[in-house]
């Protein structure tokens, strides 16, 4: 398989997953804010903080208001992590590999892109947002299922999985980070809200029901963190995603370096005592995790993708 | 009830129509077919046309046009259901003529890059070569595999009012259109199955495997299964559909320049997930000047640095070879009959459109005196730029042009204005003649092969002579039909076979016809 084609498939999967998880991110924050008493709500800035796009945001917007942040995350084409940018990029990647991707998947992606742009105004309103985001998440899920169920499970599929699960691991950790970033003061009267907020996080990952089935204890910080980071059976948990990445890597040639980095990531994840981490420590842990995911991506790109144009071709191998 | 087509009302005066000799008089090879079309009627034909349009959309046959917002859109390929039919006996002569022409052109190109005997012998003027924009000094002395430079050639044929087929131009760089020829055939089989089966036009579907064999024959490592790739400028190129289509049909990788690199061993490799993989033959759909920034335009991002080096070393084959376009020049075209005589000692089987070479004083005088009835073309422009269409031009325009020709006579040729032949075409109100040309494709490697027919392009606007798809042109399926097969109409033969032994298809058609009446 051509390196360029592998790269396009990988990014197709990453962008689809990114669009879905950005929708989840906006939706978890909206729910959190509804649950919190007026006056202590942290507002919308944490979403920009955890996507790490503050500089870009501040260049174009005066304040971190709901309208501005939601616009930035949903539709701003200058922000490569916005839902519209991600879907447009997924579509461009898909266009070049139409012989690899089943036609129905291309049509589904096309339809998703059209829905997202045509209904965008709905998504910007407080009342229309929930339905818009839910529809987006549902359609990306359908697309993911369509690819799994109809695409040839060869090398190309492994790159689809690599892209999907790396992006998902990264985004799940960011979604959990929304909660740690809100940094509610440790006060006895705020305790009940704490639980409510973790329920919100679970729900935005479609994890609430599965958490209850798997943990069978009431929702509280420690077990929830363990579930969304360390579960090896919940498909949006970071640990599960790492295993899926490992399965993909194992089917590819010249995979030693990438597997080593993955092994390091998985060990540090397994060894983390999440419930003991203060919110600030948790934030640091998530940062480190994301840096590790970044390293793994670099290794995948260096091993299998096209070399960057700057490097002289003769030295490529 | 569908209204029968009345061929006596068909307005084909003043032009040569491919199917109808004169109102009410079908040409011999299509006498039966026109009777069947007449019986099918205008309404039913419109239904078939609609079915064809739907098929084309479903099959995703498209060409790319640039949109105003900077992106591109795929537009459906316009197609007309009424086929253009050529009798097999006539086609055999055309086929022989095309092979002869391309064989001579390949000898000519090879000679230009080596000893230039044709110039030394005074048959081809040196100053024409000096003025050629497609002559590549980088190619002097190179010996491409089998001595062939133009492996894939698309020559445009036209038929004038005199009924004679002429070559209008030869495309020896990156001719396109063959994928539409193949897809047109698939669409016709879907929408006119009963007529197709009855008249049994000769098949065209071998082209992808013939193309693969042609390319494989050029491999520098003949012992191994050759790694053949199609090199495309990318998805924004207007012919991207065809690049992807041919790669798929041949089972070859579709690559872009950045997928390839030339290593220190002067071999060409592609980046794959399993590491670098050697490439043997590149069917390149990128123009010479963009192929290799080391050899040609240094600013080209589409090409592969070092590719020409690898090609000269004989480690990778390029089809067509760089520099083949030297024969794709309007003044060179004017010399093709002499070129054929010089290398093959034969007369050209298919004539050129009569062409006046302004570099020759006698021709120059004639051209200047007859500007009002001629088409004048500059040698080094393409796409119709800088042309004078005498009958349509103003006196002032003609004067300006006359001055330009006198200034630099070597840069101009002139031809009479052609009356392109027509073919019946479905229009809103029934059926009318529309002008066509024909682009067959000629493959040359260890042997020569010609497509069965080719791509018939049709100017869908009434009276228009522009067959280009971006300017309201469409296309038709091209049928090469044996005169014996085509003699009986489907309706007549099915009536003759009235015994129960006749095929289910025929019986069914009859029932349907009866029920609609």
């Amino acid at each position: 398989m051509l390196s360029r084609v592998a790269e396009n498939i990988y990014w197709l999967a990453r962008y689809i997953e990114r669009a879905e998880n950005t929708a989840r991110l906006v939706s978890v924050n909206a729910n959190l804010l509804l649950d919190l008493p007026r006056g202590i709500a942290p507002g919308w800035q944490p979403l920009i903080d955890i996507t790490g796009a503050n500089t870009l945001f501040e260049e174009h917007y005066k304040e971190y208001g709901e309208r501005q942040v939601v616009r930035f995350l949903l539709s701003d084409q200058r922000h490569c992590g916005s839902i519209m940018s991600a879907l447009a990029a997924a579509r461009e990647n898909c266009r070049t590999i139409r012989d690899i991707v089943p036609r129905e998947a291309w049509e589904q992606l096309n339809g998703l892109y059209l829905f997202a742009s045509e209904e965008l105004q709905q998504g910007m309103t407080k009342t229309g947002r929930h339905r818009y985001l839910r529809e987006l998440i549902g359609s990306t899920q359908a697309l993911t299922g369509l690819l799994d169920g109809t695409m040839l499970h060869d090398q190309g599929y492994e790159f689809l999985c690599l892209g999907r699960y790396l992006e998902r691991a990264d985004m799940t950790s960011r979604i959990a980070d929304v909660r740690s970033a809100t940094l509610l003061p440790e006060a006895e009267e705020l305790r009940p809200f704490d639980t409510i907020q973790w329920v919100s996080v679970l729900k935005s990952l479609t994890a609430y029901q599965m958490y209850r089935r798997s943990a069978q204890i009431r929702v509280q910080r420690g077990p929830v963190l363990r579930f969304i980071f360390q579960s090896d059976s919940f498909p949006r948990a970071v640990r599960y995603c790492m295993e899926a990445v490992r399965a993909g890597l194992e089917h590819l040639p010249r995979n030693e370096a990438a597997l080593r980095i993955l092994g390091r990531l998985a060990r540090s994840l397994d060894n983390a005592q999440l419930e003991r981490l203060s919110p600030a420590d948790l934030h640091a842990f998530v940062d480190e995790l994301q840096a590790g995911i970044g390293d793994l991506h670099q290794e995948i790109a260096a091993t299998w993708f096209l070399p960057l144009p700057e490097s002289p071709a003769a030295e490529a191998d | 009830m569908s209204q029968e087509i009345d061929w006596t009302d068909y307005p084909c005066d003043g032009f040569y129509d491919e199917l109808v000799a004169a109102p009410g008089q079908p040409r011999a090879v299509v006498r039966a077919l026109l009777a069947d079309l007449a019986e099918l009627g205008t309404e039913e034909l419109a239904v078939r046309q609609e079915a064809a349009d739907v098929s084309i959309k479903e099959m995703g046959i498209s060409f790319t046009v640039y949109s105003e917002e900077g992106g591109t859109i795929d537009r459906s390929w316009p197609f007309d259901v009424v086929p253009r039919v050529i009798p097999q006996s006539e086609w055999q002569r055309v086929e022989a003529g095309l092979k002869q022409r391309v064989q001579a052109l390949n000898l000519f190109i090879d000679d230009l890059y080596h000893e230039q005997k044709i110039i030394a012998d005074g048959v081809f003027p040196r100053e024409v070569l000096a003025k050629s924009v497609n002559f590549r000094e980088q190619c002097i002395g190179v010996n491409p595999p089998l001595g062939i430079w133009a492996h894939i050639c698309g020559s445009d044929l036209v038929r004038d009012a005199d009924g004679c087929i002429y070559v209008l131009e030869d495309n020896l760089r990156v001719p396109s259109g063959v994928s539409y020829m193949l897809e047109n055939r698939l669409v016709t089989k879907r929408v006119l199955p009963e007529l197709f089966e009855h008249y049994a036009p000769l098949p065209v579907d071998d082209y992808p495997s013939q193309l693969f064999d042609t390319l494989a024959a050029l491999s520098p490592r003949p012992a191994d299964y050759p790694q053949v790739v199609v090199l495309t400028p990318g998805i924004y190129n207007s012919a991207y559909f065809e690049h992807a289509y041919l790669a798929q049909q041949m089972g070859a990788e579709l690559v872009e320049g950045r997928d390839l690199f030339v290593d220190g061993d002067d071999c060409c490799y592609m980046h794959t997930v399993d590491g670098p993989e050697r490439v043997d033959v590149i069917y390149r759909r990128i123009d010479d000047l963009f192929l290799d920034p080391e050899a040609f335009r240094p600013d080209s991002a589409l090409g592969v640095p070092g590719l020409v080096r690898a090609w000269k070393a004989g480690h990778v084959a390029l089809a067509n070879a760089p520099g083949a376009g030297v024969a794709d020049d309007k003044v060179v075209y004017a010399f093709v009959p002499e070129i054929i005589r010089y290398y093959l000692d034969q007369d050209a089987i298919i004539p050129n459109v009569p062409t006046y070479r302004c570099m020759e004083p006698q021709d120059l005088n004639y051209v200047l005196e007859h500007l009002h009835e001629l088409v004048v073309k500059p040698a080094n422009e393409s796409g119709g730029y800088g042309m004078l269409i005498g009958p349509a031009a103003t006196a002032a325009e003609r004067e300006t042009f006359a001055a330009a020709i006198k200034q630099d006579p070597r840069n101009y040729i002139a031809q009479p204005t052609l009356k392109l032949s027509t073919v019946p075409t479905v229009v809103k109100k029934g059926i009318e003649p529309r002008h066509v040309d024909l682009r067959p494709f000629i493959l040359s490697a260890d042997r020569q092969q010609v497509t069965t027919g080719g791509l018939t392009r049709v100017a869908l606007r009434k009276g228009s002579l522009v067959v280009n798809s971006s300017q309201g042109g469409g296309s038709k399926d091209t049928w090469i039909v044996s005169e014996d097969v085509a003699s009986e109409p489907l309706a007549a033969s099915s009536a003759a076979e009235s015994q129960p032994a006749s095929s289910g298809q025929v019986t069914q058609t009859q029932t349907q016809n009866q029920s609609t009446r």
Side-chain angles (χ1 to χ4, degrees):
Chain A
M1 162 159 291
L2 281 177
S3 298
R4 176 176 49 85
V5 172
E7 191 172 352
N8 282 335
I9 298 176
Y10 172 87
W11 280 111
L12 167 67
R14 280 200 81 148
Y15 282 123
I16 294 169
E17 197 65 29
R18 185 171 300 173
E20 174 181 344
N21 283 291
T22 302
R24 290 180 185 276
L25 200 62
V26 173
S27 122
V28 64
N29 202 58
N31 289 334
L32 266 177
L33 293 188
L34 290 177
D35 292 338
L36 288 176
R38 217 177 283 236
I40 61 162
W44 288 84
Q45 182 168 357
L47 289 195
I48 307 297
D49 296 344
I50 63 172
T51 49
N54 300 63
T55 322
L56 182 70
F57 183 87
E58 284 163 17
E59 258 172 49
H60 299 289
Y61 299 91
K62 288 201 179 70
E63 49 167 337
Y64 285 94
E66 175 173 351
R67 274 211 9 252
Q68 291 81 357
V69 170
V70 170
R71 176 174 297 278
F72 186 70
L73 291 177
L74 258 53
S75 70
D76 199 321
Q77 287 173 357
R78 294 167 298 212
H79 172 38
C80 67
S82 77
I83 292 177
M84 286 314 301
S85 297
L87 288 178
R91 194 157 162 264
E92 277 307 292
N93 275 290
C94 197
R95 255 168 73 91
T96 65
I97 48 170
R98 278 174 70 175
D99 49 334
I100 310 260
V101 174
R103 180 190 203 111
E104 287 80 356
W106 161 252
E107 284 169 6
Q108 170 79 15
L109 177 57
N110 227 352
L112 171 59
Y113 175 79
L114 291 176
F115 164 80
S117 39
E118 279 162 14
E119 301 288 312
L120 189 60
Q121 286 319 311
Q122 283 300 309
M124 298 292 196
T125 64
K126 262 186 203 296
T127 46
R129 186 163 59 214
H130 178 67
R131 197 187 62 83
Y132 179 76
L133 294 175
R134 200 180 55 181
E135 179 85 29
L136 267 183
I137 293 168
S139 296
T140 48
Q141 287 270 308
L143 181 54
T144 301
L146 200 53
L147 286 169
D148 267 5
T150 54
M151 187 177 158
L152 212 56
H153 283 210
D154 58 3
Q155 274 185 343
Y157 180 74
E158 307 303 344
F159 283 98
L160 187 84
C161 291
L162 290 188
R164 174 194 297 160
Y165 288 107
L166 268 189
E167 182 72 24
R168 187 182 290 175
D170 180 85
M171 289 301 281
T172 294
S173 73
R174 289 179 196 272
I175 288 170
D177 206 19
V178 179
R179 176 57 191 85
S180 68
T182 57
L183 293 178
L184 280 187
E186 288 291 316
E188 194 55 40
E189 69 272 20
L190 294 177
R191 203 41 48 92
F193 297 117
D194 202 51
T195 304
I196 292 170
Q197 288 167 56
W198 285 113
V199 169
S200 255
V201 169
L202 285 173
K203 283 192 170 161
S204 70
L205 288 167
T206 325
Y208 179 67
Q209 231 181 314
M210 295 303 124
Y211 168 83
R212 295 312 296 251
R213 267 181 52 116
S214 128
Q216 292 164 345
I217 44 170
R218 70 179 194 83
V219 174
Q220 46 184 312
R221 183 176 186 267
V224 169
L225 285 176
R226 278 204 302 277
F227 185 70
I228 61 180
F229 279 95
Q230 293 169 325
S231 166
D232 57 8
S233 51
F234 179 61
R236 308 200 77 80
V238 178
R239 189 71 182 85
Y240 178 95
C241 293
M242 292 297 147
E243 261 333 287
V245 169
R246 184 198 306 280
L249 289 178
E250 276 169 356
H251 286 110
L252 292 172
R254 303 180 292 127
N255 56 8
E256 301 78 12
L259 278 173
R260 255 197 316 279
I261 295 178
L262 180 81
R264 267 206 307 278
L265 257 177
R267 264 196 312 283
S268 83
L269 191 59
D270 289 343
N271 295 337
Q273 302 283 319
L274 294 171
E275 63 273 35
R276 295 202 192 154
L277 296 180
S278 71
D281 289 344
L282 180 64
H283 184 64
F285 169 77
V286 169
D287 268 358
E288 205 176 301
L289 185 69
Q290 283 163 4
I293 291 171
D295 291 345
L296 184 50
H297 163 75
Q298 293 300 338
E299 187 55 45
I300 289 172
T303 309
W304 292 295
F305 297 166
L306 279 185
L308 293 174
E310 287 83 38
S311 65
E315 288 162 31
D317 57 336
Chain B
M1 181 184 140
S2 193
Q3 197 187 342
E4 273 205 17
I5 297 166
D6 185 355
W7 293 110
T8 56
D9 290 344
Y10 180 76
C12 56
D13 302 329
F15 295 97
Y16 183 99
D17 191 274
E18 297 282 337
L19 305 192
V20 186
Q25 288 178 41
R27 297 199 181 276
V29 70
V30 291
R31 187 166 296 130
L33 175 65
L34 289 193
D36 279 331
L37 286 174
E39 185 162 344
L40 213 55
T42 48
E43 269 174 48
E44 179 60 22
L45 209 51
V47 169
R48 305 291 178 102
Q49 179 65 48
E50 208 167 294
D53 296 344
V54 169
S55 284
I56 283 166
K57 214 171 240 177
E58 278 174 6
M59 291 158 74
I61 310 171
S62 62
F63 64 102
T64 310
V65 287
Y66 299 93
S67 76
E68 281 134 30
E69 301 117 50
T72 56
I73 26 171
D74 276 352
R75 196 176 282 172
S76 280
W77 177 247
F79 170 79
D80 182 80
V81 287
V82 181
R84 183 248 192 98
V85 183
I86 302 173
Q88 195 178 0
S89 54
E90 180 178 28
W91 183 249
Q92 280 162 349
R93 202 183 60 84
V94 171
E95 194 179 319
L98 291 168
K99 285 181 178 172
Q100 177 200 48
R101 191 173 177 95
V102 175
Q103 191 192 353
L105 285 172
N106 269 307
L107 290 168
F108 171 69
I109 301 168
D110 200 55
D111 187 18
L112 286 189
Y113 289 114
H114 291 91
E115 294 163 62
Q116 305 195 335
K117 281 185 273 185
I118 194 169
I119 296 176
D121 288 339
V123 175
F124 187 79
R126 180 172 300 280
E127 60 266 33
V128 173
L129 184 64
K131 286 222 121 196
S132 165
V133 290
N134 290 317
F135 183 76
R136 307 267 172 257
E137 283 176 6
Q138 296 88 336
C139 301
I140 293 173
V142 177
N143 293 306
L146 308 167
I148 291 179
W149 295 73
H151 311 91
I152 298 105
C153 173
S155 293
D156 289 346
L157 305 179
V158 293
R159 200 197 293 268
D160 198 8
D162 59 4
C164 181
I165 291 182
Y166 297 93
V167 178
L168 183 63
E169 62 181 51
D170 304 293
N171 297 283
L172 297 126
R173 285 173 287 175
V174 284
S176 63
V178 77
S179 58
Y180 301 113
M181 171 191 88
L182 297 167
E183 295 285 82
N184 285 352
R185 177 54 56 89
L186 290 183
V187 174
T188 307
K189 283 179 179 171
R190 280 193 193 184
V191 301
L192 293 174
E194 75 280 35
L195 295 183
F196 190 88
E197 192 181 17
H198 182 70
Y199 293 102
L202 298 182
V204 297
D205 330 317
D206 300 344
Y207 183 79
S209 44
Q210 290 172 351
L211 177 61
F212 184 84
D213 291 346
T214 300
L215 296 169
L218 310 174
S219 172
R221 299 185 298 170
D224 295 309
Y225 190 79
Q227 182 68 256
V228 176
V229 302
V230 178
L231 175 60
T232 174
I235 52 171
Y236 299 111
N237 186 275
S238 60
Y240 181 75
F241 170 84
E242 174 155 308
H243 307 160
Y245 180 90
L246 290 176
Q248 240 175 62
Q249 295 288 313
M250 289 194 291
E253 288 286 359
L254 178 65
V255 303
E256 295 178 15
R258 56 202 167 107
D259 293 322
L260 302 178
F261 68 98
V262 174
D263 212 340
D265 58 0
D266 283 356
C267 291
C268 181
Y269 296 88
M270 60 181 175
H271 295 286
T272 79
V273 167
D274 296 295
E277 200 170 309
R278 172 129 180 228
V279 172
D280 297 306
V281 185
I282 300 175
Y283 178 25
R284 50 101 175 194
R285 297 295 297 257
I286 294 181
D287 277 335
D288 279 0
L289 293 180
F290 295 93
L291 259 188
D292 177 355
E294 280 181 14
F296 302 116
R297 281 177 62 154
D299 60 333
S300 167
L302 299 174
V304 186
L307 190 56
V308 169
R309 185 162 30 96
W311 172 66
K312 284 183 176 176
H315 293 162
V316 68
L318 295 174
N320 289 349
V326 67
D328 184 315
D329 180 292
K330 296 207 173 60
V331 179
V332 173
Y333 161 86
F335 282 91
V336 172
E338 281 100 320
I339 289 172
I340 293 174
R341 206 167 301 126
Y342 179 77
Y343 292 104
L344 304 179
D345 196 22
Q346 295 169 0
D347 287 330
I349 300 172
I350 317 174
N352 266 10
V353 175
T355 303
Y356 303 96
R357 306 192 280 239
C358 299
M359 57 192 292
E360 289 167 17
Q362 207 181 339
D363 282 11
L364 177 63
N365 283 338
Y366 179 89
V367 169
L368 291 174
E369 278 165 27
H370 295 82
L371 269 187
H372 58 285
E373 56 193 48
L374 295 173
V375 176
V376 186
K377 299 173 178 176
N380 295 332
E381 301 269 3
S382 62
Y385 290 105
M387 267 174 38
L388 176 86
I389 298 172
T394 63
E397 283 169 335
R398 286 202 290 268
E399 261 168 50
T400 323
F401 233 81
I405 298 170
K406 279 186 224 160
Q407 182 90 40
D408 185 9
R410 279 169 307 181
N411 195 37
Y412 292 93
I413 59 156
Q415 294 169 337
T417 26
L418 296 173
K419 293 183 163 179
L420 296 192
S421 63
T422 56
V423 176
T425 299
V426 176
V427 297
K428 277 210 179 81
K429 288 180 192 160
I431 205 157
E432 284 180 8
R434 290 289 182 268
H435 297 288
V436 295
D437 76 351
L438 177 65
R439 176 177 287 185
F441 295 84
I442 306 98
L443 297 175
S444 311
D446 47 345
R447 59 197 175 122
Q448 283 190 300
Q449 293 172 96
V450 180
T451 48
T452 317
L455 176 66
T456 293
R457 297 187 297 178
V458 52
L460 293 173
R461 286 189 207 124
K462 187 168 192 163
S464 168
L465 295 168
V466 183
V467 294
N468 198 300
S469 58
S470 58
Q471 298 178 56
S475 70
K476 287 171 164 290
D477 194 11
T478 310
W479 289 10
I480 306 301
V481 168
S482 150
E483 288 88 332
D484 322 328
V485 176
S487 57
E488 286 287 306
L490 172 61
S493 65
S494 56
E497 292 172 33
S498 58
Q499 294 306 306
S502 69
S503 80
Q505 172 116 28
V506 173
T507 315
Q508 198 180 12
T509 310
Q510 277 182 324
T511 322
Q512 280 176 348
N513 284 346
Q514 280 154 6
S515 69
T516 48
R517 274 176 196 160

